[in-house]
Amino acid sequence: MYGGAWSLPDGIQPVPAYWWIAKLSFSFLLETFVFISGYLLCFQMRQKKITFLSLLQKKLKRIYLPSIVFSILYFCCFSTYHNALRCVYSILNGCGHLWFLPMLFWCFIGGYALFYLRMPEWLKLLCLLGLAIVSVPLSVLPLRIGNACYYLFFFYLGVAFYTHKDSILQFFTKNKIILTILVYAVVVIGGLLLNRYLQSIDNSVSPWHLPILLGKTAVKILYATVGTIMSYLVVNLIIKNRVGIGEPWITFNLCCFGVYIYHQFILEYLYYHTALPTLVGSYWLPWVGFFITLPAAFILSYATRKTKVGQLLIG
């Protein structure tokens, strides 16, 4: 909300430091999730034969079904009913934060097709980069296909990184990884400042509106790509010296999808339907919200996974 994606609750004022925290923490977050999905799909496809029909069935069950079920719940809790057609359309598109799931579904479908497309990897990525840059006007496409046009570049980047992971990790020595971190810091700070300046320009009726819009998207893609690559390299550097992963981390990992599903239900209720913002004020609100929401979402996820229906939806 301090970054402008959500409206500020009553009594809450903007905090410049929190704007930076929001923008920096979100600068490559979703792109990295999509990158990981492409990386894992490539891993699975190289381990065994995956048919298009089996992929379609699996992702409808594992991604689209939870989106529909929890979108119905989200709509009932927080949305205003106008008519049946708009209600059904909202649910199919994914209500609230659940938009990410239909988008990811299309990334799997598109990524699978691209995997078998006879074309050089660099040319595929170049075409997807162009598609990502022009994706904002395509956001009107239904079922989050327009959003997938942006994220498909990062999905297939994950596929490409798994395909060439040995040579990539061999090339990026420790010093080069440190350099990548520094490059990211420069690019993201400069990119955020540039995009904030472009955002401040009143271009709604200007002939420069579309070029500015495409430029902002290109800048975002740049720092998100560098951030995603940086995170991949840093994680590989960390796990290179680790023997194994502790049981608590495995348990937490199994609940992460459920935490994602539940977290916005809790936050939206706390921020917009309780007196919490007034009680704690602008500076304490995000921290109080975080320390309430994370354990609550984890408990709900853990409990849901113990049921048969929960295993089907978020297991």
Side-chain angles (χ1 to χ4, degrees), residues 3-301:
W6 292 12
S7 61
L8 291 171
D10 292 339
I12 299 299
Q13 302 299 321
V15 179
Y18 290 173
W19 183 91
W20 280 102
I21 292 174
K23 293 296 183 180
L24 289 172
S25 63
F26 209 68
S27 60
F28 60 93
L29 177 68
L30 297 183
E31 290 85 354
T32 299
F33 278 131
V34 176
F35 173 92
I36 293 170
S37 297
Y39 191 90
L40 293 178
L41 177 64
C42 187
F43 164 76
Q44 293 167 351
M45 293 179 69
R46 292 185 181 278
Q47 296 297 313
K48 61 180 180 179
K49 177 68 174 179
I50 299 178
T51 66
F52 176 77
L53 184 59
S54 65
L55 177 76
L56 179 64
Q57 291 175 334
K58 182 178 180 180
K59 298 310 173 185
L60 281 172
K61 176 183 175 182
R62 297 286 295 154
I63 297 178
Y64 224 118
L65 179 60
S67 174
I68 291 174
V69 171
F70 285 99
S71 287
I72 293 173
L73 179 61
Y74 190 95
F75 190 93
C76 293
C77 291
F78 304 116
S79 299
T80 302
Y81 178 85
H82 294 283
N83 57 67
L85 183 62
R86 184 181 296 186
C87 173
V88 172
Y89 185 74
S90 297
I91 290 169
L92 292 177
N93 273 278
C95 295
H97 63 303
L98 298 164
W99 69 268
F100 188 80
L101 299 182
M103 179 280 297
L104 188 59
F105 170 80
W106 292 114
C107 283
F108 274 104
I109 300 303
Y112 182 92
L114 286 165
F115 184 84
Y116 288 108
L117 182 64
R118 294 183 177 274
M119 182 186 294
E121 295 286 274
W122 67 267
L123 186 56
K124 293 180 188 178
L125 288 170
L126 186 62
C127 292
L128 291 174
L129 177 60
L131 181 63
I133 291 174
V134 301
S135 62
V136 175
L138 301 177
S139 61
V140 296
L141 295 175
L143 304 179
R144 304 300 179 180
I145 295 174
N147 298 99
C149 290
Y150 171 83
Y151 285 99
L152 192 55
F153 167 75
F154 296 94
F155 188 93
Y156 203 79
L157 187 65
V159 173
F161 262 63
Y162 183 82
T163 303
H164 305 286
K165 61 183 175 64
D166 292 334
S167 57
I168 290 173
L169 294 177
Q170 185 177 7
F171 174 79
F172 279 97
T173 61
K174 185 176 180 180
N175 288 337
K176 289 178 180 177
I177 294 175
I178 294 173
L179 179 61
T180 304
I181 296 172
L182 296 175
V183 169
Y184 165 72
V186 172
V187 170
V188 72
I189 293 174
L192 289 173
L193 290 173
L194 176 59
N195 274 358
R196 185 163 68 172
Y197 168 73
L198 294 175
Q199 184 69 33
S200 68
I201 300 175
D202 184 11
N203 52 65
S204 57
V205 293
S206 167
W208 292 100
H209 175 60
L210 183 59
I212 288 175
L213 189 64
L214 299 181
K216 287 166 55 180
T217 306
V219 170
K220 180 184 178 184
I221 293 171
L222 175 61
Y223 63 67
T225 302
V226 178
T228 298
I229 294 172
M230 175 198 68
S231 65
Y232 172 76
L233 297 173
V234 169
V235 167
N236 274 279
L237 183 64
I238 292 172
I239 64 176
K240 183 179 180 181
N241 300 317
R242 290 183 63 88
V243 177
I245 300 174
E247 187 66 29
W249 288 108
I250 296 175
T251 302
F252 190 79
N253 176 68
L254 293 173
C255 293
C256 278
F257 184 55
V259 170
Y260 161 75
I261 292 290
Y262 284 120
H263 84 280
Q264 187 160 320
F265 286 88
I266 302 168
L267 283 175
E268 187 150 343
Y269 175 73
L270 289 175
Y271 289 167
Y272 302 109
H273 300 277
T274 73
L276 181 67
T278 304
L279 291 174
V280 301
S282 300
Y283 289 96
W284 280 104
L285 180 60
W287 307 109
V288 174
F290 174 80
F291 285 111
I292 292 175
T293 300
L294 182 59
F298 176 79
I299 291 170
L300 287 170
S301 177

